[in-house]
Amino acid sequence: MPTLGIDLGGTFARAAVVDAKGNIIASAKMALGERSPSAVVESIAHAAKAAVDTAGTPVQGCGVGAAGQIHGESGVLAVAPNLGWRNVPLGEMLRTRLGYPVRVVNDLSAAAWGELNAGAGRGSQDMYTVFVGSGVGSAIIAGGRLVTGGGGVAGELGHIKVVPNGRRCGCGELGCLEAYAGGHNLIAQTRELLATGRSQVLKELTGGDPARVTPVTLEQAAEAGDAEAREIYERASLMLAVAVANQVTVLNPARLILGGGVLTHCPGIRRRVVEGVQAFASTTSREGLLISDAELGDDSGLIGAALLA
Amino acid sequence: MPTLGIDLGGTFARAAVVDAKGNIIASAKMALGERSPSAVVESIAHAAKAAVDTAGTPVQGCGVGAAGQIHGESGVLAVAPNLGWRNVPLGEMLRTRLGYPVRVVNDLSAAAWGELNAGAGRGSQDMYTVFVGSGVGSAIIAGGRLVTGGGGVAGELGHIKVVPNGRRCGCGELGCLEAYAGGHNLIAQTRELLATGRSQVLKELTGGDPARVTPVTLEQAAEAGDAEAREIYERASLMLAVAVANQVTVLNPARLILGGGVLTHCPGIRRRVVEGVQAFASTTSREGLLISDAELGDDSGLIGAALLA
């Protein structure tokens, strides 16, 4: 019987009815209005009902991928920064509202599970997935099982320290990988450079408008030979490359899956990460390693959540 | 029924009959003579027979912890540098010789499994074990299961890159953590400093004899205020601390177990690693983290191998 997958972001809840092979039968999307837990549960329930009604088939369980920290198998969302939540028993609330068994996992874990079972990781048991979007995250699958960690927050690659006491990260700590190489911080660093007025290339690319800066702008400025843009760009790429390579060394995955907006839209950064894994991961750990791009795009979390149900 | 554990090092084979709780009933040790696979299998078989005879109880299976790279569950020792072996089907050879089912795992995995079930990790499901001895290694247990990696070499913390294109490591690669912070390389760096003649403190501590240099000598020289010794020492300690902290961030273990000669005999390095985990691991990943020392010493591998049988 199909299952229901929920992808809970900061602005939308998406729901999909998914078959056992990971095909989406029907889906629905609902904007989140008020962010109180009960209002969000209602939004999810509406999206779920729409998806189930469209599919015209009963479902036997529900999986939820949510951005935030989930405490083990409890279904409790300990911290969800996008929603401003702390210790919300989302699993239990949804179980009561929907009448299905509900499992709540981290959104990147759900996405990795989707890729493992219906995307780029098919046939694999040991897979490491790295997402570089506005932030930097990862998910570990070992022996065919999701590694969640003792506190449910395994995979926080963005918050490893690459410069002890370095640049301040959005998490409040200093020197995190994300503070240098996450999309949000790539934009911030590029805007800082634009604001100095020293980069003619950046001025031309953006018309002087900081709002037009994206990670792609930085890649273009670096490729156009702007020395300071290049420094930010090469530093971020090298840090990402070494960080990913080091996780390949420690985890020895059979597959490395790359996803997220920055790796998708900045081919130069993606190339440096791939080449960096070849250069910096230990020889034995990358024997037989297959590197590929995530295949399911935005649907990976929905599909993975449903398959985890 | 008890099982048999084998610890296969570079110079000795040890065997122990171990009960289901991880208590050693009897053990035996056999020096390795010739290093050919068949000769080593004979040495193991002798040690095994001695242990079983002494215990006076039948055993129902055998686990082997061996220094080297093991291909998954095949029992094939792909690379064993200490023995100069490549692709030796140790599991099958021992099964034939001993008449028990045999499971072969990496020596650090066996040691971690011992600590999990009968030592410092008891009661834990998510545990990260770091050994700093002559080399630097680690073992990951997630959800109560050993993480071996796709190629059987997960845990190679010593070969993450801490200085891209830095100091040459014994593995042939550049800039590995082990090249700065492994005991063998702490000694090498201290000897290099001694050879310059610039360090009066080192001269006094060793009588000028490079053979008397140990990691403890380096710690003593650093604590005595020798600036160059202190630089080597603090750099190594910081690199270890950040590396371990970053794995705590990514793996989110409930327990961190520290073992190996350097961490046991150099309390200053151990303290810097513990403080570094507090300083550099992400706040969420170290909530509830328990840090402790390995408890079983040299027996952890024997006990773990037996319990994995």
Side-chain angles (χ1 to χ4, degrees):
Chain A
M1 204 188 289
T3 54
L4 187 64
I6 308 286
D7 179 13
L8 177 60
T11 47
F12 287 94
R14 298 171 65 212
V17 176
V18 175
D19 71 16
K21 288 184 171 166
N23 299 303
I24 293 180
I25 299 170
S27 68
K29 185 171 173 177
M30 183 86 187
L32 301 179
E34 201 203 318
R35 302 299 159 85
S36 71
S38 57
V40 168
V41 164
E42 279 312 304
S43 298
I44 293 174
H46 275 97
K49 185 173 188 310
V52 172
D53 286 353
T54 309
T57 164
V59 294
Q60 66 175 351
C62 172
V64 181
Q69 176 185 350
I70 288 96
H71 268 322
E73 294 290 320
S74 66
V76 174
L77 208 45
V79 185
N82 292 340
L83 295 165
W85 288 3
R86 280 194 167 267
N87 295 317
V88 172
L90 180 66
E92 205 179 299
M93 293 175 74
L94 271 175
R95 197 156 34 237
T96 306
R97 179 63 179 80
L98 298 174
Y100 316 126
V102 174
R103 181 172 180 193
V104 184
V105 299
N106 172 271
D107 57 344
L108 295 190
S109 295
W113 195 255
E115 292 291 344
L116 180 80
N117 288 286
R122 272 188 308 265
S124 172
Q125 294 280 301
D126 298 277
M127 183 178 112
Y128 188 55
T129 310
V130 176
F131 300 93
V132 186
S134 58
V136 175
S138 75
I140 306 165
I141 287 160
R145 308 200 327 175
L146 210 47
V147 173
T148 56
V153 296
E156 283 194 331
L157 186 68
H159 302 289
I160 67 165
K161 301 302 176 283
V162 291
V163 179
N165 306 311
R167 194 176 159 87
R168 187 169 295 277
C169 182
C171 74
E173 298 179 11
L174 300 175
C176 296
L177 175 60
E178 187 166 302
Y180 296 90
H184 185 79
N185 281 292
L186 289 174
I187 292 171
Q189 292 170 92
T190 308
R191 284 182 180 158
E192 287 165 20
L193 176 56
L194 178 64
T196 65
R198 288 196 300 265
S199 170
Q200 193 55 39
V201 174
L202 274 183
K203 250 184 260 176
E204 281 163 18
L205 285 167
T206 61
D209 180 3
R212 287 175 57 192
V213 171
T214 70
V216 174
T217 319
L218 176 64
E219 179 157 295
Q220 289 169 337
E223 284 173 353
D226 184 287
E228 287 182 272
R230 193 163 191 100
E231 200 181 311
I232 297 167
Y233 177 80
E234 295 291 355
R235 180 175 67 180
S237 300
L238 180 64
M239 285 173 171
L240 276 177
V242 172
V244 175
N246 284 350
Q247 288 313 124
V248 168
T249 297
V250 173
L251 297 170
N252 181 218
R255 304 273 176 99
L256 171 64
I257 311 288
L258 303 175
V262 169
L263 292 178
T264 306
H265 299 301
C266 300
I269 295 181
R270 184 193 174 284
R271 182 167 56 75
R272 283 164 174 77
V273 170
V274 171
E275 290 175 355
V277 169
Q278 308 297 344
F280 300 125
S282 75
T283 310
T284 52
S285 73
R286 63 183 155 76
E287 263 174 30
L289 176 70
L290 230 81
I291 305 177
S292 47
D293 294 314
E295 282 177 9
L296 303 176
D298 285 346
D299 290 337
S300 58
L302 267 179
I303 294 170
L307 294 177
L308 276 165
Chain B
M1 202 189 291
T3 53
L4 187 64
I6 308 286
D7 179 11
L8 177 60
T11 46
F12 287 92
R14 297 170 67 212
V17 176
V18 175
D19 72 16
K21 289 185 172 165
N23 300 304
I24 293 181
I25 300 171
S27 69
K29 187 172 171 176
M30 181 86 189
L32 300 178
E34 201 203 318
R35 302 298 160 86
S36 71
S38 56
V40 168
V41 164
E42 279 312 304
S43 298
I44 294 174
H46 275 98
K49 185 170 187 309
V52 172
D53 286 353
T54 308
T57 166
V59 295
Q60 67 174 348
C62 171
V64 182
Q69 178 185 351
I70 287 95
H71 268 321
E73 293 291 319
S74 66
V76 174
L77 207 46
V79 186
N82 292 341
L83 295 165
W85 288 3
R86 278 193 168 269
N87 295 317
V88 172
L90 180 66
E92 206 180 298
M93 292 174 75
L94 272 175
R95 196 155 35 239
T96 306
R97 179 64 178 79
L98 299 175
Y100 318 124
V102 174
R103 182 171 179 194
V104 184
V105 301
N106 173 271
D107 56 344
L108 295 191
S109 296
W113 195 253
E115 291 291 344
L116 180 79
N117 290 285
R122 274 187 307 265
S124 171
Q125 293 280 300
D126 297 277
M127 180 179 115
Y128 187 54
T129 310
V130 176
F131 300 92
V132 186
S134 58
V136 176
S138 74
I140 307 163
I141 287 161
R145 307 203 326 176
L146 210 47
V147 173
T148 57
V153 295
E156 284 193 331
L157 185 68
H159 302 289
I160 67 164
K161 301 301 177 281
V162 290
V163 179
N165 306 312
R167 192 177 159 88
R168 186 169 295 277
C169 183
C171 75
E173 298 178 10
L174 299 176
C176 296
L177 175 60
E178 187 167 301
Y180 296 90
H184 186 79
N185 280 290
L186 290 175
I187 291 171
Q189 292 169 92
T190 309
R191 284 182 181 159
E192 286 164 22
L193 176 55
L194 178 64
T196 65
R198 288 196 300 265
S199 170
Q200 192 56 38
V201 175
L202 274 182
K203 249 184 263 177
E204 282 162 20
L205 284 167
T206 61
D209 180 5
R212 288 175 57 191
V213 171
T214 69
V216 174
T217 319
L218 176 65
E219 180 158 294
Q220 289 170 336
E223 284 173 354
D226 184 285
E228 287 182 271
R230 195 166 188 100
E231 202 181 310
I232 297 166
Y233 177 80
E234 294 292 354
R235 179 175 68 180
S237 300
L238 180 64
M239 284 174 172
L240 274 176
V242 173
V244 175
N246 286 349
Q247 287 313 122
V248 168
T249 298
V250 173
L251 297 170
N252 183 217
R255 303 272 177 100
L256 171 64
I257 311 288
L258 303 176
V262 169
L263 292 177
T264 306
H265 300 302
C266 300
I269 296 181
R270 183 192 174 284
R271 181 169 55 77
R272 284 164 174 77
V273 170
V274 171
E275 291 175 356
V277 169
Q278 308 297 346
F280 300 125
S282 75
T283 311
T284 52
S285 71
R286 64 183 155 77
E287 263 174 30
L289 176 70
L290 228 81
I291 305 178
S292 46
D293 294 314
E295 284 177 7
L296 304 177
D298 286 347
D299 291 336
S300 59
L302 267 180
I303 295 170
L307 293 176
L308 277 164

